[in-house]
Amino acid sequence: MKKLLALILALVLILSVSVVAATAEEYEISDDFLNAVRAEYDDNEITKDDIYLEYMYDLGNGIFLVKYGVGDYAYPDDMLEIGLGSYIIETSRPEPQIYFNNRLFSLEDAYDYNIITERELEKMTTLHGIYVKKTKVTLNLRNAKYSYKDEDYINVKFTLVGSEKTFFDFYEYGATSSAQAGELFRAYCDDLHNKFLNEVLSDVDYIDRMHNNGISVVAIKKKDIDKISQHDLVVLMDFVSDAHMEYLYTYDPGFKNYSYREKRSVYDENRELSYILINAYSNTCSPAEVGFRIGDVVMHSSNIHSYFVYQYGLYDVKEDKIYDLFDLRNNPEKYYKLEENLIDFCGGIPLGDSNGDSKLTVLDATVIQRIVASLQSPDYPYYYGAHEGDEHGYISDFDGDGSITVLDATAIQRKVAGLQ
C-alpha cells in the first residue's frame, strides 16, 4: 500500500512539474510582444524584465487573450465590467487585452474589428482569472436602466431567434437571382418582426421604431425589460441611445452592416450636455490612408466609408442632429473644447506634432529646427483627403503655408507659450 501511495505521489509531482513547465513556456515574453507593449505604452525603454504576465491564453487563429502589467505603472484596484455582444466580462485591472498580429487591442476594439467574435467569447467563459458570462440583457442596457423610471420608454435593439439568417441563405430556398433572394429575405425579416410584435410584445405597451436584416428596434417601458428578456424568441436586448437613434434615422444603415460606439459625452461650461462624439462606420469601405484637418487637429482614417466618411461624427444634443465630423471642419469653435476632446478620445493628431507623441510641445519645435538645419532626417507625416477638394498638407506645417520652415517652429513655440 505504501509503495502504491509513493507511486501516486511521484506521478502527481511529475505532472505538477509538467504543468509548471507548460505554463512557464506559455508565459514567455517574445520580442514581438515586447515591441507591442512598448507601442501600447509609447515607451521604448520598457524591457522584458519590466513586464509581468498574469496570463496569456491562446484563443486560436493567432489570437491571444493577455493580461499583463508594466514595471512601476500604477493600476486602479477596482473591478471592471466590459460588455461585448451577448457577453459581460468582469475582471480586475490591469485590463485584459487581445494580442493579434503583433499588436495589442482593447477588448472593445478587438470585438468591433471582428478580431474576436462570439466564438472566442464563448471560449473565454472557460478560462481562469477572468469571469465571462452570457446574457440576454447587455451591459449597456442594464446600466441605462438606472437613468429611467418604470413608466419611461427605452429604445431597445432586439436580436431574435432567426436573426442570424442573411441574404445569402435564400439562395438555398430557391432564389435564382440576387433580386429574388433580396425579396425573399426582406419578406422573411418582415414576418420575423411581426411575429416578435404579436407574440413577445402582445401584452405590453411599445413604440415600433424600425427593423431590417432580422433586427428590431422598439421602445418599451423600463418595467417590462426583464419580463420580455425571458421570452424564448428573444436572444439579445441592447440599449439604443438618443444619439444612436438619430444616427439610425439619419443614415438608415442595415443592422449587422455597421459599427457604432459613443466615445465621449461632453458637457459645456454651464455643465449641460452639449454633444456626443461618435465613432461609427459602415462595414463596406474603400481602403485608403486619408485624413483631414479640423481646426488645429488632423483626423486620420485607414478607410473611406459611406457614412461618417472618416469614421467620426458628432451628435448635437440641443439640435437633436447628427453631423459627420468632416462637415464641421471649418467651424470647430461651435463646440466646447472639440479639438481637445478629439485628441484625447478620438485619436486626433495635434497640428504641429512633429515627434509623434500626440502632444504639442516645445519638443516639436525643436524637431522642426533640427530638420531645417539638416541635423535630423525629415519625417513629416502627410495627410490628404479623398473627396470634396482632396484637402492635403503636412502635420508639421503649423502655419499652413504649404512648406516646413523655422516659422512653423516659432509658431509652435508661441502657441505652447500661450501667445497665439
Side-chain angles (χ1 to χ4, degrees):
M1 183 68 178
K2 289 183 179 179
K3 289 183 178 180
L4 179 60
L5 290 174
L7 179 59
I8 292 173
L9 180 60
L11 288 171
V12 170
L13 289 173
I14 291 171
L15 290 173
S16 298
V17 171
S18 300
V19 171
V20 171
T23 302
E25 181 179 353
E26 183 181 351
Y27 281 9
E28 183 178 351
I29 298 173
S30 66
D31 291 339
D32 287 334
F33 184 75
L34 170 62
N35 290 332
V37 172
R38 286 174 170 176
E40 184 73 8
Y41 280 75
D42 192 22
D43 185 354
N44 288 326
E45 300 301 318
I46 295 174
T47 68
K48 290 184 180 180
D49 291 337
D50 295 324
I51 302 172
Y52 59 91
L53 277 168
E54 293 192 29
Y55 53 71
M56 180 180 281
Y57 295 118
D58 187 350
L59 300 179
N61 298 319
I63 303 167
F64 295 86
L65 174 69
V66 58
K67 184 177 183 181
Y68 69 95
V70 176
D72 296 327
Y73 282 89
Y75 302 97
D77 59 2
D78 61 321
M79 293 295 293
L80 184 68
E81 285 189 315
I82 303 169
L84 300 177
S86 57
Y87 291 84
I88 296 177
I89 298 169
E90 296 179 9
T91 175
S92 60
R93 298 180 189 266
E95 183 177 341
Q97 292 180 282
I98 293 297
Y99 178 56
F100 174 70
N101 199 23
N102 298 330
R103 288 182 58 192
L104 286 160
F105 299 85
S106 69
L107 292 176
E108 293 96 332
D109 284 344
Y111 187 77
D112 285 348
Y113 300 152
N114 288 319
I115 296 172
I116 58 173
T117 63
E118 300 286 304
R119 184 185 71 84
E120 285 75 29
L121 290 169
E122 176 63 29
K123 184 176 291 187
M124 286 165 58
T125 63
T126 66
L127 303 178
H128 297 290
I130 184 170
Y131 178 60
V132 183
K133 63 180 179 181
K134 195 172 179 67
T135 181
K136 277 192 176 184
V137 178
T138 66
L139 182 63
N140 282 339
L141 180 55
R142 192 190 75 186
N143 291 341
K145 287 168 58 180
Y146 297 121
S147 302
Y148 291 82
K149 298 177 182 179
D150 283 347
E151 295 296 324
D152 289 342
Y153 283 97
I154 302 178
N155 292 319
V156 178
K157 181 170 70 173
F158 289 89
T159 303
L160 310 168
V161 174
S163 293
E164 70 279 1
K165 289 191 180 297
T166 68
F167 165 89
F168 298 101
D169 290 320
F170 289 84
Y171 283 102
E172 299 178 6
Y173 300 149
T176 57
S177 66
S178 60
Q180 189 177 22
E183 184 178 347
L184 290 173
F185 180 50
R186 286 189 293 273
Y188 169 82
C189 292
D190 289 342
D191 289 343
L192 182 62
H193 178 68
N194 290 329
K195 180 181 180 181
F196 166 63
L197 297 181
N198 295 330
E199 293 185 12
V200 180
L201 304 183
S202 60
D203 59 347
V204 301
D205 294 326
Y206 67 86
I207 304 171
D208 191 1
R209 299 295 194 195
M210 62 191 308
H211 73 278
N212 63 60
N213 288 342
I215 306 292
S216 300
V217 175
V218 179
I220 58 174
K221 292 183 177 180
K222 172 189 172 179
K223 66 178 183 179
D224 295 320
I225 288 177
D226 291 336
K227 179 179 71 173
I228 293 171
S229 70
Q230 303 304 312
H231 199 285
D232 291 340
L233 188 64
V234 175
V235 174
L236 188 65
M237 299 168 61
D238 195 10
F239 175 62
V240 179
S241 68
D242 290 341
H244 193 174
M245 200 70 241
E246 187 60 28
Y247 177 85
L248 295 176
Y249 285 146
T250 301
Y251 296 106
D252 192 23
F255 295 121
K256 306 178 188 176
N257 296 330
Y258 76 99
S259 296
Y260 177 96
R261 192 195 301 179
E262 294 175 10
K263 303 292 288 186
R264 184 69 170 176
S265 296
V266 181
Y267 292 80
D268 60 22
E269 58 271 28
N270 298 319
R271 298 184 180 180
E272 294 181 355
L273 183 59
S274 175
Y275 62 93
I276 298 172
L277 289 171
I278 301 168
N279 175 232
Y281 48 89
S282 54
N283 292 348
T284 55
C285 60
S286 299
E289 293 296 328
V290 291
F292 69 97
R293 176 178 172 179
I294 175 169
D296 285 341
V297 177
V298 173
M299 299 299 296
H300 176 265
S301 175
S302 298
N303 301 289
I304 303 170
H305 296 271
S306 299
Y307 25 85
F308 286 4
V309 179
Y310 298 96
Q311 303 188 31
Y312 282 95
L314 176 152
Y315 172 63
D316 187 313
V317 175
K318 293 181 181 179
E319 295 182 9
D320 189 25
K321 186 175 180 179
I322 288 284
Y323 288 97
D324 191 316
L325 193 63
F326 179 79
D327 296 330
L328 301 174
R329 65 193 183 282
N330 295 323
N331 59 336
E333 67 283 351
K334 178 181 177 181
Y335 295 100
Y336 182 69
K337 292 187 176 180
L338 176 58
E339 295 175 44
E340 177 182 323
N341 284 298
L342 289 176
I343 294 170
D344 291 343
F345 301 101
C346 301
I349 304 169
L351 191 68
D353 177 25
S354 301
N355 64 355
D357 65 355
S358 298
K359 295 177 286 188
L360 187 67
T361 67
V362 293
L363 296 178
D364 297 306
T366 301
V367 169
I368 291 175
Q369 289 170 334
R370 288 180 58 82
I371 293 175
V372 171
S374 299
L375 299 175
Q376 184 173 328
S377 299
D379 182 20
Y380 297 124
Y382 193 73
Y383 69 91
Y384 67 94
H387 73 309
E388 294 192 20
D390 196 27
E391 177 188 0
H392 62 277
Y394 291 103
I395 290 177
S396 295
D397 180 17
F398 191 77
D399 62 9
D401 67 355
S403 59
I404 313 299
T405 68
V406 70
L407 295 178
D408 295 300
T410 301
I412 290 172
Q413 290 170 333
R414 290 178 58 81
K415 176 70 176 284
V416 172
L419 300 175
Q420 179 177 318

